[in-house]
């Protein structure tokens, strides 16, 4: 056994410690630590999900959130995933609104002292051409820090004029820049599958996340999109795609939810249900600290599934 083998074995055998949840945790506390029961299945699963999210990648990873229908929870999914990856990994995460027109990621994310967006970044890309002189701090003039959520937001064009389009070349240049400074890039796509930047995002992504609510129209739209991508020749589509299925209200049709789960399990490598949370659907800036425990746990599980697929 080499020295490296020894450390690897020790890491694999690492004890997570005594339980802190439920009756096991209470027994440990009440006994002053004399009774030290092991973690239960739920607590062990929680730590395993965190470990998956914190895994090392051999390069930057791009995750594109897709569904051509508006109201399919793409933006809220990107923000929830940004919060989860950011806090669990400790940073190195950016959420990018790659909308061909005006998206809402910049509106739903925390405000910044500047109002710069992808458009302004494209106009000033020259300052980042020298890879030896440009710094991640320079991107602070374009991205918006999400504070304790430990990720940044790059908003889409917010100018009131109707001219200007983000082309595939523009996407490639911005994506290449973000790959220099971030480990995880979460892309919020628009609703036009024929837009150059939408197609460029789908092509560049290491993982596609189909977002849908428990509604027949959004569920159908996601399936139609998968059909279109498959017909367009996208290889290994099931292998590189997962589904996040969100509850649009506190009461959903259980039969529809079951149907959507079953059909998306056939089309993607995994389906993750996330509950209704009024904090996410209010339409305002997301106060991450107000997310329910059920929401944060569900997103931890979903992001662990994403990390495992990368």
């Amino acid at each position: 056994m080499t020295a490296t083998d020894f450390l690897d074995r020790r890491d694999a055998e690492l004890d997570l410690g005594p339980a802190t949840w439920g009756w096991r945790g209470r027994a440990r506390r009440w006994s002053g630590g004399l009774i030290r029961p092991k973690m239960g299945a739920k607590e062990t699963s929680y730590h395993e999900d965190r470990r998956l999210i914190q895994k090392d990648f051999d390069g930057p990873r791009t995750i594109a959130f897709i569904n051509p229908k508006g109201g399919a929870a793409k933006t809220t999914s990107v923000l929830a995933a940004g919060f989860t990856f950011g806090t669990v990994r400790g940073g190195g995460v950016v959420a990018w609104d790659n909308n061909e027109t005006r998206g809402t990621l910049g509106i739903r994310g925390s405000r910044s002292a500047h109002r710069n967006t992808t458009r302004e970044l494209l106009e000033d890309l020259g300052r980042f051409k020298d890879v030896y002189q440009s710094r991640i701090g320079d991107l602070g003039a374009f991205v918006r820090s999400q504070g304790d959520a430990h990720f940044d937001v790059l908003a889409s064009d917010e100018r009131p004029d109707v001219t200007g389009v983000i082309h595939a070349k523009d996407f490639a240049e911005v994506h290449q820049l973000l790959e220099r400074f971030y480990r995880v890039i979460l892309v919020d796509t628009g609703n036009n599958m024929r837009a150059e930047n939408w197609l460029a995002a789908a092509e560049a992504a290491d993982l596609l996340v189909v977002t849908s609510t428990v509604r027949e129209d959004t569920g159908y739209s996601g399936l139609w999109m998968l059909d279109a991508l498959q017909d367009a020749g996208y290889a290994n589509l099931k292998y590189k795609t997962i589904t996040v299925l969100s509850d649009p209200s506190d009461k959903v049709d259980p039969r529809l939810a079951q149907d959507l789960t079953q059909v998306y399990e056939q089309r993607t490598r995994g389906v993750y249900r996330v509950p209704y949370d009024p904090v996410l659907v209010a339409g305002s800036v997301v106060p991450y600290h107000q997310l329910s425990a059920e929401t944060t746990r569900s997103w931890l599980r979903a992001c662990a599934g994403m990390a495992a697929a990368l």
Side-chain angles (χ1 to χ4, degrees), residues 98-176:
N98 182 48
N99 202 298
E100 67 273 15
T101 55
R102 182 175 180 267
T104 58
L105 190 64
I107 298 172
R108 301 297 308 278
S110 299
R111 302 287 187 262
S112 176
H114 68 77
R115 305 308 304 163
N116 291 331
T117 67
T118 303
R119 179 82 73 91
E120 284 73 29
L121 178 58
L122 282 167
E123 293 174 351
D124 206 12
L125 273 179
R127 67 191 291 184
F128 297 98
K129 294 297 185 183
D130 190 337
V131 297
Y132 299 104
Q133 295 298 322
S134 57
R135 303 158 297 184
I136 188 171
D138 297 327
L139 272 178
F142 304 96
V143 298
R144 304 171 188 182
S145 171
Q146 301 302 290
D148 290 341
H150 295 285
F151 75 102
D152 296 332
V153 164
L154 177 59
S156 63
D157 187 8
E158 295 177 348
R159 297 181 187 181
D161 60 83
V162 295
T163 59
V165 176
I166 304 296
H167 297 285
K169 178 177 178 293
D170 300 324
F171 173 89
E173 290 183 334
V174 173
H175 185 239
Q176 186 178 37

Side-chain angles (χ1 to χ4, degrees), residues 186-202:
L186 309 173
V187 183
D188 185 2
T189 58
N191 303 328
N192 182 5
M193 286 181 60
R194 295 184 176 90
E196 287 187 27
N197 60 325
W198 195 102
L199 292 168

Side-chain angles (χ1 to χ4, degrees), residues 3-302:
T4 301
D5 294 335
F6 170 75
L7 291 179
D8 289 343
R9 191 195 68 179
R10 294 284 297 173
D11 184 65
E13 296 174 351
L14 183 66
D15 187 356
L16 292 175
T20 60
W21 291 11
W23 68 265
R24 294 177 176 85
R26 289 193 296 271
R28 181 184 60 81
R29 290 189 293 272
W30 291 342
S31 68
L34 295 177
I35 301 175
R36 296 169 59 84
K38 292 184 177 181
M39 293 181 181
K42 288 184 178 180
E43 190 173 3
T44 301
S45 174
Y46 168 81
H47 286 286
E48 176 62 19
D49 286 343
R50 288 181 58 87
R51 187 190 68 80
L52 278 172
I53 293 172
Q54 292 170 348
K55 68 183 260 190
D56 291 326
F57 302 122
D58 58 4
R61 293 293 185 267
T62 299
I63 307 173
F65 293 71
I66 56 174
N67 190 317
K69 187 182 184 306
K74 289 190 295 293
T75 298
T76 54
S77 294
V78 168
L79 289 170
F83 166 75
T84 306
F85 275 109
T87 53
V88 176
R89 290 184 64 87
V93 179
V94 63
W96 172 18
D97 195 342
N98 182 48
N99 202 298
E100 67 273 15
T101 55
R102 182 175 180 267
T104 58
L105 190 64
I107 298 172
R108 301 297 308 278
S110 299
R111 302 287 187 262
S112 176
H114 68 77
R115 305 308 304 163
N116 291 331
T117 67
T118 303
R119 179 82 73 91
E120 284 73 29
L121 178 58
L122 282 167
E123 293 174 351
D124 206 12
L125 273 179
R127 67 191 291 184
F128 297 98
K129 294 297 185 183
D130 190 337
V131 297
Y132 299 104
Q133 295 298 322
S134 57
R135 303 158 297 184
I136 188 171
D138 297 327
L139 272 178
F142 304 96
V143 298
R144 304 171 188 182
S145 171
Q146 301 302 290
D148 290 341
H150 295 285
F151 75 102
D152 296 332
V153 164
L154 177 59
S156 63
D157 187 8
E158 295 177 348
R159 297 181 187 181
D161 60 83
V162 295
T163 59
V165 176
I166 304 296
H167 297 285
K169 178 177 178 293
D170 300 324
F171 173 89
E173 290 183 334
V174 173
H175 185 239
Q176 186 178 37
L177 174 62
L178 296 179
E179 283 187 316
R180 281 167 46 195
F181 296 119
Y182 293 98
R183 295 184 179 185
V184 179
I185 303 167
L186 309 173
V187 183
D188 185 2
T189 58
N191 303 328
N192 182 5
M193 286 181 60
R194 295 184 176 90
E196 287 187 27
N197 60 325
W198 195 102
L199 292 168
E203 186 66 34
D206 299 292
L207 180 70
L208 300 173
V209 177
V210 181
T211 66
S212 177
T213 57
V214 182
R215 287 174 51 103
E216 189 170 333
D217 54 354
T218 51
Y220 164 80
S221 177
L223 293 170
W224 176 87
M225 174 191 63
L226 291 175
D227 290 342
L229 290 175
Q230 183 171 305
D231 291 343
Y234 280 75
N236 299 321
L237 192 57
K238 178 173 181 175
Y239 179 77
K240 68 176 295 185
T241 308
I242 71 167
T243 303
V244 173
L245 194 59
S246 304
D247 291 355
S249 64
D250 55 354
K251 293 182 180 180
V252 297
D253 181 349
R255 183 174 178 181
L256 175 60
Q258 183 181 18
D259 287 346
L260 287 172
T261 298
Q262 289 177 345
V263 71
Y264 274 107
E265 283 177 343
Q266 297 172 14
R267 300 297 303 275
T268 64
R269 64 184 292 160
V271 178
Y272 297 88
R273 286 285 303 279
V274 294
Y276 169 76
D277 194 319
V279 169
L280 287 176
V281 302
S284 56
V285 175
V286 175
Y288 302 104
H289 64 283
Q290 294 181 19
L291 292 171
S292 71
E294 185 182 6
T295 297
T296 55
R297 182 66 187 96
S298 296
W299 273 104
L300 187 76
R301 188 177 298 110

